[in-house]
Amino acid sequence: MYMFRRDFIKFTSLGAASLFLPPQLIPALNISKVGAFTPLRKNVGFYTDRGGTIGWMVNDEGVVVIDAQFPESAENLIGEIRKQTDQKVNFLINTHHHGDHTGGNIAFKEMTEHVFAHENSKANQMRVAKERGNEEGQLYPDMTFEEEWSNQIGDETITCSYHGRGHTNGDIITHFENANIVHMGDLVFNRRFPYIDKSAGAHIGNWIHILDHTVKRFDEDTIFIFGHSGEGFEITGSIEDVKAFTNYLEQLMLEVEKGIEAGKSLQDLKKEMTVVKGAPQWSGNGIERSLDAAYMELTEGE
Ligand SMILES: [Zn+2]
């Protein structure tokens, strides 16, 4: 069993991190349909509707759901699961606390035995719901973990692991070991500018380490499910897509660091940059959030 060592995850040098990438990765042309309940391999699949991509497993012994989107889309998903089985959901797993991943938890109130997440995700969910006066609409995890957790259901082993701060301070990676399918939550934005939630402890430097480790831990056969993707890009992919997003984060930090060294302000960088040099597949709206976070991390160390 893999044991993650915190000592390894300190961010050492931006310059040391470099990746070979083909000049142009060919964009996938299949766009997932809205409300698509899609099998991938060995009883594991994904569901897209509105919000972060849902992962699911339905076998003879039980049901696992990863993330819940919003109440309406969660109801739609439950309808799809009911076409497959009458069993209760054993675990609803939250990859992290954001509303487009946990807002639909409430729809599972009567039909899941457990809601499961990292302890920081639960704390974030409770804090944000309190701040927004929306505690009524929440279903909080009744089970949390710190570093690693595994459970066997039928012929599938589900392993969740936590590797420190990334997109928030509570993101987990879920591995369906038999199917060799990994749900990355929002640790990968496939060809789409990421949301980097500094208000919930995000850290780009450690995020890069999480992804480097992910690339070493899994293989060419692994199917990855991503929380979000850019228009025209899929919400599933391979280890190459994980490497490509790692490269995006590395290039972002390098370009912002260069700008700071040249005496540029955050406003200057926002005016100048529409894409990150070295990762042009990340385009469209939303680069500001990357620049805000990278600038903060490089100037304030947080
Ligand atoms: Zn998120």
Side-chain angles (χ1 to χ4, degrees):
M1 191 54 69
Y2 172 77
M3 290 296 291
F4 195 76
R5 301 277 290 274
R6 260 160 219 284
D7 308 6
F8 291 151
I9 63 181
K10 287 194 187 112
F11 193 53
T12 50
S13 153
L14 283 167
S18 71
L19 271 170
F20 173 76
L21 282 175
Q24 266 306 352
L25 294 170
I26 300 155
L29 293 173
N30 299 344
I31 303 169
S32 303
K33 285 184 211 123
V34 168
F37 190 82
T38 310
L40 285 168
R41 187 158 66 193
K42 294 187 177 173
N43 304 318
V44 178
F46 68 90
Y47 179 77
T48 52
D49 197 334
R50 197 169 72 84
T53 313
I54 291 174
W56 53 258
M57 182 214 75
V58 178
N59 69 24
D60 293 342
E61 302 296 323
V63 180
V64 173
V65 174
I66 304 179
D67 284 345
Q69 297 186 348
F70 298 101
E72 275 173 34
S73 42
E75 290 292 354
N76 295 343
L77 168 71
I78 289 166
E80 293 294 330
I81 291 173
R82 281 288 160 264
K83 289 182 196 167
Q84 316 282 320
T85 180
D86 289 333
Q87 299 175 97
K88 262 197 158 187
V89 175
N90 302 55
F91 297 100
L92 168 61
I93 297 171
N94 291 145
T95 60
H96 65 293
H97 74 288
H98 285 150
D100 59 327
H101 298 257
T102 61
N105 281 8
I106 193 80
F108 287 84
K109 196 170 183 179
E110 302 302 326
M111 67 171 290
T112 192
E113 284 173 15
H114 298 288
V115 181
F116 183 73
H118 188 264
E119 57 186 9
N120 293 349
S121 174
K122 179 178 182 177
N124 288 331
Q125 190 186 350
M126 294 176 86
R127 173 179 54 79
V128 172
K130 223 168 256 171
E131 283 167 8
R132 295 184 183 166
N134 183 27
E135 288 193 284
E136 299 278 289
Q138 307 298 313
L139 180 65
Y140 295 120
D142 63 308
M143 281 176 69
T144 61
F145 76 115
E146 284 180 54
E147 292 192 359
E148 190 166 282
W149 171 89
S150 260
N151 201 278
Q152 176 100 25
I153 298 175
D155 65 355
E156 190 54 271
T157 303
I158 302 102
T159 299
C160 295
S161 56
Y162 175 71
H163 308 280
R165 298 161 64 188
H167 160 76
T168 68
N169 64 3
D171 306 274
I172 61 170
I173 293 172
T174 306
H175 188 202
F176 294 96
E177 294 185 9
N178 188 30
N180 195 11
I181 292 173
V182 174
H183 196 306
M184 292 298 291
D186 281 2
L187 287 171
V188 173
F189 280 67
N190 186 27
R191 278 79 176 182
R192 174 171 171 169
F193 286 126
Y195 179 31
I196 304 174
D197 190 354
K198 284 286 181 190
S199 76
H203 192 276
I204 301 168
N206 192 57
W207 192 345
I208 291 168
H209 279 274
I210 294 172
L211 296 173
D212 281 343
H213 166 65
T214 300
V215 166
K216 289 190 193 111
R217 179 180 168 194
F218 302 109
D219 54 47
E220 298 297 327
D221 183 53
T222 310
I223 299 172
F224 292 88
I225 299 174
F226 310 128
H228 303 277
S229 63
E231 231 181 294
F233 292 95
E234 298 209 65
I235 49 75
T236 61
S238 74
I239 206 158
E240 296 305 320
D241 300 306
V242 179
K243 287 181 190 170
F245 184 61
T246 314
N247 179 66
Y248 167 79
L249 291 178
E250 285 171 346
Q251 298 300 324
L252 167 69
M253 292 295 267
L254 280 170
E255 288 304 313
V256 173
E257 192 177 47
K258 265 192 230 165
I260 291 167
E261 278 169 6
K264 286 176 184 163
S265 69
L266 177 58
Q267 288 315 314
D268 293 338
L269 293 177
K270 283 184 179 175
K271 265 182 231 154
E272 284 171 20
M273 290 172 71
T274 53
V275 293
V276 172
K277 205 175 128 196
Q281 287 190 317
W282 276 257
S283 62
N285 295 327
I287 194 174
E288 300 80 13
R289 298 196 289 202
S290 288
L291 297 176
D292 283 335
Y295 199 91
M296 182 191 281
E297 202 162 309
L298 288 163
T299 55
E300 297 170 26
E302 268 306 311

